[in-house]
Amino acid sequence: MKLNHANLVTTEVAALAGFFTSHFGFELLAMRGKDAFALLRGADGFALNLMTPGKGGAATYPDAFHVGFFVGKPDIVHAKQAELADAGLTPGEVQELTRGGVNSTTFFCLAPGGILVEVSSSPA
């Protein structure tokens, strides 16, 4: 079984789509309904749907909800953090963490629409 897609709700569909296409290699396949819905595809075929909340509702997620990206080497984590900072975003500092006995090089960044994004790698 393969995970096919995820659906994120955001008040900033176009800005979040731009974030994922500009910085995480997604391709915009469709934008519909006055920027109310976007369909993105990752390099591995994973579909990411972005949509506005229904009927003026809020886009809310539970505490600690985030989207995580894993990259091959810690230096890629540092490069991605610098890229996002250079783009005017405010990524957090790169940290060396241990979770479940596994070391990782990690940072978090708040993407448009309030979606928290994690970028991490295990040391080589």
Side-chain angles (χ1 to χ4, degrees):
M1 188 178 316
K2 177 183 172 185
L3 182 61
N4 178 269
H5 72 277
N7 189 72
L8 298 176
V9 177
T10 177
T11 56
E12 299 180 38
V13 170
L16 188 56
F19 174 83
F20 284 122
T21 59
S22 296
H23 302 292
F24 290 90
F26 281 83
E27 174 187 6
L28 177 63
L29 299 179
M31 182 73 75
R32 299 184 185 128
K34 297 181 183 176
D35 296 343
F37 177 83
L39 174 59
L40 307 174
R41 181 175 54 210
D44 63 354
F46 182 78
L48 181 58
N49 303 329
L50 310 175
M51 63 187 298
T52 56
K55 304 277 186 205
T60 59
Y61 289 96
D63 288 343
F65 174 85
H66 65 279
V67 175
F69 290 92
F70 189 79
V71 297
K73 296 180 183 179
D75 60 331
I76 299 171
V77 174
H78 288 275
K80 183 59 68 178
Q81 193 267 359
E83 173 190 324
L84 295 174
D86 289 347
L89 297 160
T90 54
E93 295 299 318
V94 175
Q95 305 171 54
E96 300 299 325
L97 303 175
T98 302
R99 293 183 265 184
V102 176
N103 295 331
S104 70
T105 301
T106 303
F107 77 88
F108 292 88
C109 182
L110 198 58
I115 301 294
L116 188 61
V117 174
E118 174 186 2
V119 178
S120 66
S121 175
S122 293

